[in-house]
Amino acid sequence: MKKLFILLVASLVGSSLLLTGCPQPQQESPMKPQASKVRYEVIQDQQSAFTGTTMPLPDWLLNALQGNLLQYGTDAEGKKVVYFVSIEKSKNLDLAKQNAKLNLNARIAESIQTLVTSEAAKVFEGDQDTYVQYIQGAIGILAKNVKITGLIPVNEYWAELQEYLNDAPRDRYYSYAIRYQMDLGTWKQTLSGAWQQTKQQKPDIPERARKKMDEVIERLSEASE
């Protein structure tokens, strides 16, 4: 009887462990990856050639180095304008300058496509099928349809830069940038006209998606208001 009682107790304890489970060690939450940090050291620039000291990189150039080639702002008189930055990197300064001038149209198309894609992604969030099937290609056509005229060059800047990624040296090159200015009203007309042309070239875009893109274009026109 005593042996039977011991077996019964052991059986009950075993069943309890199966039901409740053995205590598990607590798992640590996975660490979130930190965003990579890029910084630039100016080795020489257009000022140091005359004064022997370099100047801090202008904000517009830093933004361009980070891929923001289309920038809203104001001119010296406080008038709202749009800036396009054509920037090139090379191991050779003359080549960087030459490419910055030659590749202006390509950089403008790139900047417009990046800007419109960013805004469209917000509007079409949750409707990826429509975005991929109709809008993604339309944005590429829109960028090519934008015909930029009347740009005024307002700044040129070059520098030899040492680029660091998370404080580790990554690359060293010459950067040559030219900043062009356009009147905000002209920009609005240009962007709107390019979108109207795109809609004619892409008649298969569903009406609901067209209206959403109309909102995107309108939003970009008001971005600097």
Side-chain angles (χ1 to χ4, degrees), residues 8-25:
L8 180 60
V9 171
S11 177
L12 290 172
V13 171
S15 298
S16 176
L17 288 173
L18 288 173
L19 290 172
T20 60
C22 296
Q24 298 292 327

Side-chain angles (χ1 to χ4, degrees), residues 77-93:
E77 299 176 354
K79 186 179 179 181
K80 293 178 180 179
V81 295
V82 174
Y83 294 106
F84 293 95
V85 181
S86 181
I87 184 170
E88 294 291 340
K89 304 174 184 178
S90 175
K91 300 297 183 181
N92 180 277
L93 176 59

Side-chain angles (χ1 to χ4, degrees), residues 145-192:
N145 284 341
V146 174
K147 306 302 181 186
I148 300 295
T149 59
L151 288 177
I152 303 173
V154 290
N155 300 102
E156 288 193 41
Y157 183 89
W158 69 263
E160 183 182 8
L161 301 177
Q162 173 65 62
E163 183 177 302
Y164 294 86
L165 178 62
N166 295 331
D167 293 328
R170 182 166 69 170
D171 197 7
R172 183 167 173 168
Y173 51 80
Y174 287 98
S175 176
Y176 201 100
I178 308 173
R179 185 163 72 147
Y180 297 86
Q181 175 182 307
M182 172 184 277
D183 177 79
L184 182 61
T186 303
W187 159 244
K188 291 180 179 181
Q189 294 176 3
T190 301
L191 183 63
S192 177

